[in-house]
Amino acid sequence: MDLQGRSILLAVTGGVAAYKSAELCRLLVKAGAQVQVVLTESASRFVGAATFQALSGKAVFTDLWDARVPNTMAHIELARAADLIVVAPATAHTLARAAQGLADDLLSTLLLAAGKPVLFAPAMNREMWLHPATQRNMATLRADGARICGPASGEQACGEVGEGRLVEPEDLLQDIVAALTASCLEGRTVLVTAGPTFEPIDPVRGLTNRSSGKMGYAVARAAREAGARVLLVSGPTALAAPFGVECIAVESAQQMFDAVMARAAQAQVFIATAAVADWRPAQVLAQKQKKTPDALPPPIALQTNPDILAAVAALPQAPFCVGFAAESENLLQHASAKRLRKGVPLLVGNLGPETFGRDDNRLELFDASGHQSLGAGSKIDLARKLVAHIAQRLPVSDTPLQSPPGA
Ligand code: C5P
């Protein structure tokens, strides 16, 4: 479980999005966290303390003078016990108070006493969000070291459409995990390819494969959790982009090649998990191919696609390149040979294609010093191990080029 043994103080303030914090509370508990909820006076008008108490399994605090804390210093005790303080939703009012350092209720006092990371998830009407006063307060909070998640864009409870929605609870959970993860890739940009490619034959047909993209999306998510700026170039998949990752959607291998080559110079790490089609139809028909009267299938002439991984690895200032190999037999020999053929320092092998579409995998690492197993597990756990392994192998002299997400 992603948050096993972690203590989260979930502070809920008075916006209509407070109802989504109940779901966030449930997800945090499901992820293994101990959750202590603090409600502001106005939050409790939107969602009652009983809901949060039932979901977290702990009594909720709202009052600075709560008699349940023997030394009457609830703000200190609660702040001390937490690994991370999450304010979701954070109203314009709460953000302004936090930026000013006011201390006249439980939450504001607790934020001053925290001495530890605070993650704010703003939620408000779009005009309130765009107001220069709110933006000034956000700049102050960022400069003070707060982590800001969102807001998202879309339909708002007030009927307007724009920026100011609370980030969805599942995405907030990802950002909370990231906030608590050791930032071994902070300051780095990681470029990832994922999913299958689709090679058109005509406007309705094409050649593709059974890659789900799950391993690549897990790698992108793990890299972002580790503090990297992540660019995910993805073929067609049914997956939602991991939160905080820049996703570039492509279809064909040639489009994936172009998208990767346009961004390779920004990256210190390139991880090629995509199942790129080796060949494409030499000609794409402008109209749907008709059946012939004799019903004989038409021949499809193929031409070779560019090898994206080998091309990036051959760049003069190549990022640290990691290839993936799905082999159906003789993984050890084939993967070692493939690493040399592609010219990459690290190749990750798995026995495919039976891992396609599954949530678990087994990864083997091949580098110049030989072979090492990462073992079996869920794709996200293996992706985290892989990211930690890659981070250790990056040249320390690399000057970080990018600011970490949320900075
Ligand atoms: O050549 P093969 O498909 O066996 O190698 C697999 C590795 O090479 C994967 O990392 C895959 O993403 C990458 N690859 C690529 N471009 C291709 C073919 C494979 O980047 N055209």
Side-chain angles (χ1 to χ4, degrees):
M1 287 198 284
D2 289 347
L3 294 172
Q4 193 65 47
R6 300 302 201 140
S7 293
I8 308 286
L9 191 147
L10 174 60
V12 184
T13 72
V16 61
Y19 79 94
K20 290 191 182 175
S21 297
E23 174 67 357
L24 176 63
C25 182
R26 192 188 69 80
L27 292 174
L28 289 168
V29 170
K30 198 171 155 209
Q34 294 284 328
V35 183
Q36 174 62 64
V37 176
V38 166
L39 295 182
T40 60
E41 171 61 30
S42 48
S44 57
R45 293 177 185 248
F46 285 98
V47 187
T51 301
F52 286 104
Q53 179 167 344
L55 291 168
S56 67
K58 285 188 182 187
V60 168
F61 285 79
T62 49
D63 184 5
L64 188 57
W65 307 107
D66 199 308
R68 284 170 295 178
V69 180
N71 63 5
T72 69
M73 293 188 201
H75 56 298
I76 308 281
E77 297 297 315
L78 295 173
R80 264 190 203 146
D83 294 313
L84 178 71
I85 298 174
V86 178
V87 186
T91 58
H93 181 66
T94 295
L95 293 166
R97 287 154 55 79
Q100 288 298 308
L102 297 187
D104 60 356
D105 70 355
L106 177 59
L107 176 58
S108 56
T109 317
L110 189 154
L111 290 177
L112 276 191
K116 59 188 54 175
V118 180
L119 187 157
F120 291 97
M124 66 200 73
N125 162 274
R126 73 183 183 92
E127 294 292 358
M128 292 171 77
W129 172 249
L130 291 174
H131 195 284
T134 304
Q135 291 305 312
R136 257 196 325 271
N137 293 330
M138 295 314 297
T140 303
L141 290 171
R142 280 195 192 94
D144 288 349
R147 189 180 176 105
I148 313 296
C149 181
S153 277
E155 279 179 28
Q156 302 205 287
C158 54
E160 293 185 20
V161 177
E163 220 178 344
R165 278 169 62 96
L166 183 71
V167 166
E168 291 303 322
E170 289 81 6
D171 291 339
L172 256 171
L173 179 69
Q174 284 190 35
D175 209 50
I176 290 166
V177 173
L180 288 166
T181 302
S183 301
C184 60
L185 287 179
E186 200 157 305
R188 317 273 188 169
T189 294
V190 176
L191 181 60
V192 181
T193 63
T197 62
F198 179 88
E199 311 295 333
I201 296 170
D202 64 23
V204 293
R205 303 184 185 94
L207 304 176
T208 188
N209 60 63
R210 297 201 297 129
S211 167
S212 65
K214 284 184 178 175
M215 192 67 231
Y217 277 55
V219 166
R221 178 173 157 189
R224 141 90 195 170
E225 282 174 5
R229 172 183 175 227
V230 182
L231 311 175
L232 173 63
V233 179
S234 175
T237 72
L239 304 175
F243 183 71
V245 162
E246 282 171 55
C247 197
I248 302 106
V250 297
E251 282 206 332
S252 67
Q254 186 62 49
Q255 288 171 354
M256 189 174 275
F257 177 86
D258 293 341
V260 165
M261 294 315 267
R263 292 165 178 83
Q266 301 172 38
Q268 289 80 51
V269 181
F270 175 52
I271 308 175
T273 71
V276 185
D278 292 316
W279 309 285
R280 64 172 180 266
Q283 277 192 329
V284 182
L285 303 177
Q287 303 301 331
K288 184 182 169 194
Q289 169 105 48
K290 293 280 175 229
K291 278 183 218 156
T292 51
D294 56 11
L296 282 178
I300 301 175
L302 298 175
Q303 92 182 59
T304 304
N305 271 327
D307 190 316
I308 304 166
L309 177 58
V312 174
L315 289 172
Q317 305 279 319
F320 183 88
C321 288
V322 182
F324 266 69
E327 301 290 344
S328 52
E329 52 167 4
N330 289 338
L331 178 65
L332 257 66
Q333 285 138 284
H334 287 151
S336 303
K338 189 169 287 184
R339 187 183 78 78
L340 295 175
R341 209 169 49 244
K342 301 264 181 184
V344 297
L346 181 63
L347 194 110
V348 186
N350 52 230
L351 270 177
E354 63 269 29
T355 66
F356 280 4
R358 288 176 48 162
D359 291 323
D360 58 340
N361 204 348
R362 181 181 186 89
L363 298 185
E364 311 292 328
L365 305 185
F366 298 85
D367 62 16
S369 58
H371 161 230
Q372 157 186 355
S373 180
L374 281 190
S378 70
K379 287 184 175 173
I380 185 63
D381 282 346
L382 289 169
R384 288 178 182 138
K385 285 188 190 170
L386 176 63
V387 159
H389 182 93
I390 292 169
Q392 282 171 9
R393 273 145 196 84
L394 295 181
V396 276
S397 57
D398 250 1
T399 315
L401 298 177
Q402 304 291 335
S403 308

